[in-house]
């Protein structure tokens, strides 16, 4: 593909880029180390959201493919993968990482076309997904059980063992990140993965799996694109899937959890969010505006931890609002393949319709629309939306309570610390929270009082392979990333070796 040899910025039109892909690559399911051929009956077309045109056809998997992948997974697990040492697995993953890095341009282009992300963001996320695989290959070598010195006549210790075949379901907003977050800890811990990416953006997951050919044993990594209600449901219901890891909406997370409960498979859920960012009166506004705008507008706001609720002290709200609106309007919305673009389209029509709906609801509820609230007009036929800011927002409004999953910021105000915390925590979600303050006592109290899985002071992030990431309340449980994720992909076996006094 041209993108592997040339600068992505020189790619030209979407049509050229798509033609390159279609000519050189196939996007079939990846099962047992092979592409499973698509036929006209069971394929779907993935769309480029910037131009609303098909990119390529993709295999649409159902329960038969899930069965095939799960059986292939168990076969390789029993025959060889479970006998591998941590070092052997680490080496194979690192070898794969090298190949993925050689294909970074290609994966970047696929991600940008499939999701509408600007190329620089797509590249950052491809690198992040690959780094995460590398991280787990590194830390697995020191992962293990522990010695328990509770007895003088028994040697008691724990062993960390894999589950076997793990089912993993990912959303469309960060395909390559989600791939690394799920596959890294699973394979490093000795499991076999069957991953179902979202049908809206499956290309990088399939391609990354293809690039593991002859490095990972056949069947260790399987990727099954398809509908959630078919492939996703079949995977979470499958009684030979010993663990289910799901990232997506609360609604579907509950369905996956119930399905897994039927065969007592443990579940980890990374779900939605409606994250607050509290701006105290002493905050450094340069820092706050920059981190909060990235927090809500990065990836067109299609971000689970999007900082979508600004809770701003009444003394500074006027200056904050003026500067924030200016920042929102400075985003360059447009073609993801244009290097000047800082915000691409929404990923699909449903998202676009949902934005329309929420912008109308906000105004009907009495919030004041300061900027945006409408499609961004371009020559391209995609799902572009203007960065949007609402003020005069009460926290019980729908736009402050429901996950919009688009570039919409709400601003409401507070006067005392307790009120700020109360508003921030008044949400079914608890994924992340941000705080702007120069006062360390305020910061320390907020860290303790905010009911969220991540709290960031004077910034929004970072999320790194080393940093556990997960939600409280309806945002889910069981962290991705960090050593914690490795724990979620390992079972603990307790061993007791009893011994007598020596008789000689
Ligand atoms: P979604 O819940 O609609 O879909 C997620 C995945 O589940 C997709 O692969 C889908 O095909 C599959 N699915 C659908 N029906 C299924 C079923 N019956 N059984 C099993 N699987 C099924 O979510 P989405 O629209 O793809 O993604 C957006 C959501 O994901 C947002 O709520 C966002 O906050 C959340 N998200 C959370 C995190 C996190 O780390 N907390 C990260 C990214 C996205």
């Amino acid at each position: 593909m041209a993108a592997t040899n040339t600068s992505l910025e020189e790619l030209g039109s979407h049509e050229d880029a798509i033609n390159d892909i279609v000519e050189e690559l196939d996007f079939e399911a990846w099962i047992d180390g092979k592409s499973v051929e698509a036929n006209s009956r069971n394929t779907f077309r993935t769309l480029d959201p910037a131009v609303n045109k098909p990119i390529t056809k993709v295999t649409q998997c159902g329960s038969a493919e899930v069965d095939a992948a799960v059986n292939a997974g168990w076969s390789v697990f029993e025959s060889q993968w479970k006998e591998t040492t941590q070092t052997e697995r680490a080496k194979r993953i690192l070898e794969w990482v090298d190949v993925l890095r050689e294909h970074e341009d290609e994966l970047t282009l696929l991600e940008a076309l499939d999701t509408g992300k600007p190329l620089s963001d797509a590249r950052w996320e491809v690198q992040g997904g690959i780094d995460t695989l590398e991280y787990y290959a590194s830390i697995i070598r020191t992962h293990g059980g522990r010695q328990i010195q509770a007895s003088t006549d028994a040697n008691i210790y724990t062993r960390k063992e894999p589950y076997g075949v793990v089912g993993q379901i990912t959303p469309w907003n960060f395909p390559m990140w989600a791939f690394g977050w799920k596959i890294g800890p699973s394979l490093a811990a000795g499991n076999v993965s069957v991953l179902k990416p979202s049908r809206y953006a499956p290309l990088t997951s399939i391609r990354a799996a293809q690039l593991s050919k002859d490095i990972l044993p056949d069947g260790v990594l399987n990727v099954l694109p398809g509908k959630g209600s078919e492939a996703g449901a079949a995977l979470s219901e499958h009684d030979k899937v010993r663990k289910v890891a799901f990232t997506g909406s609360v609604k579907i997370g509950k369905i996956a959890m119930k399905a897994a409960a039927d065969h007592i498979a443990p579940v980890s859920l990374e779900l939605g969010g409606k994250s607050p960012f509290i701006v105290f009166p002493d905050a450094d506004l340069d820092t706050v505006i920059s981190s909060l705008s990235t927090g809500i507008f990065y990836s067109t706001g299609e971000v689970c931890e999007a900082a979508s609720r600004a809770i701003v002290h009444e003394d500074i709200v006027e200056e904050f609002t003026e500067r924030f609106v200016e920042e929102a309007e400075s985003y360059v919305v447009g073609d993801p393949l244009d290097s000047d673009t800082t915000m691409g389209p929404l990923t699909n029509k449903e998202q676009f319709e949902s934005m329309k709906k929420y912008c109308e609801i906000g105004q009907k509820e009495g919030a004041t629309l300061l900027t945006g609230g409408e499609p961004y007009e371009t020559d391209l036929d995609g799902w572009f939306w203007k960065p949007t800011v609402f003020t005069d927002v009460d926290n019980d409004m729908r736009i402050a309570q429901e996950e919009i999953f688009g570039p919409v910021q709400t601003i409401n105000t507070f006067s005392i610390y307790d009120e700020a915390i109360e508003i921030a925590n008044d949400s079914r979600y608890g994924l992340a929270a941000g705080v702007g303050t120069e006062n360390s006592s305020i910061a320390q109290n907020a860290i303790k009082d905010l009911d969220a899985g991540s709290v960031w002071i004077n910034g929004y992030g970072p999320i790194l392979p080393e940093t556990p990431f997960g939600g409280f309340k309806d945002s889910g449980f069981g962290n991705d990333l960090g050593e914690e994720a490795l724990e979620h992909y390992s079972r603990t076996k307790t061993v007791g070796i009893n011994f007598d006094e020596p008789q000689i």
Side-chain angles (χ1 to χ4, degrees), residues 52 302 346-361 373 375 382-385 404-405:
N52 193 23
E302 295 172 324
L346 296 154
T347 293
N348 56 44
K349 183 163 187 274
E350 288 81 352
Q351 282 291 105
F352 183 81
E353 295 301 332
S354 166
M355 290 294 300
K356 265 199 213 160
K357 181 186 88 176
Y358 276 109
C359 288
E360 278 165 25
I361 289 172
W383 312 114
F384 295 91
W385 198 267
I404 298 177
F405 221 57

Side-chain angles (χ1 to χ4, degrees), residues 221-232:
L221 170 61
N222 305 276
V223 175
L224 307 181
K227 286 185 185 165
S229 56
E230 294 173 2

Side-chain angles (χ1 to χ4, degrees), residues 169-173 196 228 232 246-249 252 271-272 304 403 405:
I169 299 173
T170 53
W172 45 261
N173 60 334
K196 195 212 82 70
F246 175 89
T247 300
S249 62
I252 307 293
L271 306 177
C304 50
E403 186 183 40
F405 221 57

Side-chain angles (χ1 to χ4, degrees), residues 316-349:
I316 54 160
V317 72
E318 205 177 306
E319 183 188 353
F320 167 86
T321 304
E322 192 179 315
R323 290 183 58 182
F324 190 78
V325 167
E326 206 176 293
E327 182 77 12
E329 290 173 349
S330 74
Y331 273 77
V332 182
V333 183
D335 187 345
L337 301 188
D338 183 337
S339 56
D340 292 335
T341 297
T342 53
M343 188 189 282
L346 296 154
T347 293
N348 56 44
K349 183 163 187 274

Side-chain angles (χ1 to χ4, degrees), residues 146-158 493-500:
R146 65 192 172 94
Q147 189 70 33
I148 298 163
Q149 291 178 299
S151 171
T152 53
D153 50 12
N155 177 12
I156 306 174
Y157 63 96
T158 60
K493 179 180 280 177
T494 302
V495 180
I497 304 171
N498 295 292
F499 52 86
D500 299 327

Side-chain angles (χ1 to χ4, degrees), residues 190-203:
N191 299 287
V192 162
S193 281
V194 180
L195 177 110
K196 195 212 82 70
S198 168
R199 70 198 294 272
Y200 292 112
L203 299 185

